[in-house]
Amino acid sequence: MDRKLMKGEEKFKTKCVHAGELVDKQYGGATSPIFMSTSYKFTDVEFNQYPRYFNTPNQIGLAKKIASLEGAEAGLIFSSGMSAISNALLSHLKSGDHVIFQNDLYGGTRNFIKKEFPKYGIEFGFTNGILVTDFENEIKANTKGIYIETPSNPTLKIVDLSSISELAKDKNIWTMIDNTFASPVNQNPIKYGIDIVLHSATKYLGGHSDICAGAVLGSKKRIKKIYNLAKNLGGSLSEMSVWLLERSIKTLFLRVQAQNENALKIAEFLDSESWISNVYYPGLNHHPNHNIAVKQMNGFGGMLSFELVPEIDSKKFLLNLNLIKPTMSLAGIESTALSPRLTSHALLTDDERVQQGINSQLIRFSTGIESFDDLKNDLLNTIRIIS
Ligand code: PLP
């Protein structure tokens, strides 16, 4: 598809560079100064500045920047995506509450729910599918919230944001979304009525595979609720990483646009190759949720998955790639590929993997910003070597 100009794109690009920046009053430098201090002059009992309280100058600036990209009132920056996710969930739940999770979920989130929620007496259920009726069917008298992930990891399923938020509002429950795969460039769930947006900033926000961080965005009221727990549990991000993340987000729009364009080309190329049995990418016309993706996304993202035909050994395939790196994480400017079966979703049971459509032939591909021709040649050479 030709790239459509997203609504408010020009403003978004400027926000990536300038929102939340700190002014260097001392020397007039062009970039935000970094304040490493862990101890600040006392001014107000309500506002003691301290890194674990998420309120040092750089932490506040970065939270403003990411909140502005998501169209949120407020935000908090954490030391990992899981720290953001666990603090957001635990602050909104107590013993006896019930929460509904989309079945297709990042493996670490699923593991957290299954291992930790029973200790706190929090009930949970997973949907059978991704339709709004699948969520509605799971609602109980004690249900407090719905948690979704779209596009989902690793099979890129798309959940209809407006329908989910309408259902939740009707039932008077909250909604949370893991927006990591889309990034704020491609999807802004608050616009569709979702209450809380979560990011593993380790991925697109950081974008260079060298920062581990997380973010939570939402209304001031909800962020305060999360803050009240997070200041006790800990999990804020250190100043150096905060500064580096702010620096990285300046190029977020450019990076993600390049990744979107490459991903669509790779998906279309793979779709016509005989050694591939399936391609999962919301930008393809035959993707089952393509129309919903067109409705709610500004771009289809840099992530795709594909299944190798049974004759190809997927591990051999990964280990023979040359330019594309067979590494765990995703969303960096370098292209990477992995087997969800062996890595990101290794902690799931066999049944859970089958339910999510994860088999040993599935490869998750994170598109970087390299030349499409070089990526295509790497894939074709690999097939030649191992066939
Ligand atoms: N959400 C998604 C979709 C992820 O892919 C990941 C990590 O891979 C996380 C959350 C957890 O983020 P982190 O590793 O930064 O804790």
Side-chain angles (χ1 to χ4, degrees):
M1 135 183 131
D2 286 338
R3 192 170 80 70
K4 60 178 176 186
L5 204 64
M6 70 189 232
K7 207 160 165 257
E9 176 173 312
E10 295 307 314
K11 279 211 169 77
F12 187 92
K13 287 198 257 188
T14 305
K15 282 182 191 172
C16 283
V17 182
H18 294 297
E21 69 189 344
L22 303 184
V23 179
D24 180 355
K25 290 184 191 142
Q26 199 174 4
Y27 298 112
T31 63
S32 294
I34 178 168
F35 295 96
M36 294 296 290
S37 192
T38 56
S39 186
Y40 289 84
K41 185 176 171 184
F42 172 81
T43 51
D44 178 355
V45 76
E46 289 295 317
F47 192 70
N48 280 327
Q49 277 185 293
Y50 186 59
R52 182 166 48 80
Y53 295 165
F54 299 82
N55 63 4
T56 62
N58 292 89
Q59 288 173 336
I60 291 174
L62 179 60
K64 277 191 190 154
K65 190 182 200 77
I66 304 180
S68 105
L69 297 182
E70 282 291 13
E73 267 180 12
L76 279 183
I77 311 302
F78 286 86
S79 57
S80 71
M82 281 315 302
S83 181
I85 291 168
S86 53
N87 273 288
L89 279 168
L90 291 178
S91 61
H92 278 74
L93 293 163
K94 59 177 184 339
S95 177
D97 287 348
H98 173 258
V99 58
I100 302 166
F101 290 93
Q102 179 181 327
N103 201 12
D104 304 82
L105 214 53
Y106 165 60
T109 307
R110 183 181 277 267
N111 195 46
F112 162 67
I113 299 157
K114 280 171 47 192
K115 291 274 155 53
E116 305 303 327
F117 277 20
K119 293 182 198 164
Y120 299 98
I122 300 168
E123 296 172 28
F124 57 93
F126 291 101
T127 59
N128 275 327
I130 54 162
L131 299 176
V132 69
T133 44
D134 294 312
F135 288 88
E136 196 164 9
N137 290 342
E138 294 298 318
I139 293 181
K140 299 190 197 178
N142 58 342
T143 301
K144 293 293 184 283
I146 291 178
Y147 183 105
I148 58 174
E149 197 178 301
T150 179
S152 70
N153 180 2
T155 51
L156 288 302
K157 292 189 183 124
I158 305 290
V159 177
D160 189 331
L161 296 175
S162 305
S163 323
I164 295 293
S165 79
E166 273 165 32
L167 169 70
K169 286 188 179 23
D170 186 46
K171 303 286 177 192
N172 206 17
I173 58 180
W174 48 254
T175 42
M176 289 190 195
I177 181 172
D178 184 334
N179 204 32
T180 300
F181 264 38
S183 92
V185 177
N186 289 325
Q187 185 169 269
N188 302 123
I190 288 174
K191 209 163 74 184
Y192 298 94
I194 301 294
D195 294 313
I196 293 172
V197 177
L198 298 150
H199 281 282
S200 166
T202 318
K203 310 300 172 340
Y204 287 104
L205 292 172
H208 295 73
S209 309
D210 55 10
I211 302 167
C212 182
V216 182
L217 304 314
S219 66
K220 281 185 187 157
K221 204 170 151 197
R222 293 208 180 269
I223 295 299
K224 181 82 189 353
K225 201 176 168 93
I226 299 168
Y227 167 74
N228 285 340
L229 174 71
K231 72 174 184 227
N232 293 332
L233 292 185
S236 60
L237 187 64
S238 78
E239 303 305 333
M240 197 61 98
S241 298
V242 166
W243 186 88
L244 200 53
L245 187 51
E246 191 236 346
R247 202 278 306 262
S248 301
I249 293 174
K250 291 177 192 224
T251 56
L252 176 72
F253 184 84
L254 297 178
R255 285 187 274 111
V256 172
Q257 281 310 332
Q259 285 165 311
N260 286 349
E261 281 163 27
N262 263 352
L264 183 60
K265 285 187 194 163
I266 301 263
E268 284 171 346
F269 153 67
L270 291 174
D271 214 23
S272 60
E273 288 296 295
S274 58
W275 46 278
I276 297 284
S277 59
N278 254 318
V279 181
Y280 304 95
Y281 185 64
L284 293 177
N285 288 335
H286 65 69
H287 184 285
N289 318 121
H290 176 67
N291 290 342
I292 307 173
V294 170
K295 187 180 73 170
Q296 68 192 25
M297 297 181 80
N298 305 315
F300 300 119
M303 297 300 302
L304 60 124
S305 289
F306 54 88
E307 269 164 16
L308 298 164
V309 292
E311 300 80 61
I312 296 178
D313 181 328
S314 58
K315 196 167 168 195
K316 224 166 154 190
F317 171 80
L318 286 171
L319 296 180
N320 277 281
L321 289 165
N322 184 27
L323 181 67
I324 301 159
K325 293 184 169 61
T327 63
M328 265 289 274
S329 203
L330 60 105
I333 46 169
E334 65 289 330
S335 293
T336 62
L338 61 68
S339 155
R341 163 83 187 79
L342 299 177
T343 55
S344 59
H345 292 68
L347 293 174
L348 271 58
T349 63
D350 285 344
D351 276 355
E352 286 170 339
R353 274 191 292 269
V354 170
Q355 272 174 19
Q356 291 195 38
I358 300 167
N359 58 42
S360 57
Q361 296 307 96
L362 186 74
I363 303 291
R364 189 184 77 187
F365 191 88
S366 169
T367 317
I369 61 170
E370 303 93 336
S371 132
F372 163 68
D373 285 341
D374 288 337
L375 296 172
K376 179 177 149 186
N377 288 338
D378 194 27
L379 291 163
L380 288 175
N381 281 340
T382 307
I383 291 299
R384 247 174 248 131
I385 293 167
I386 64 171
S387 298

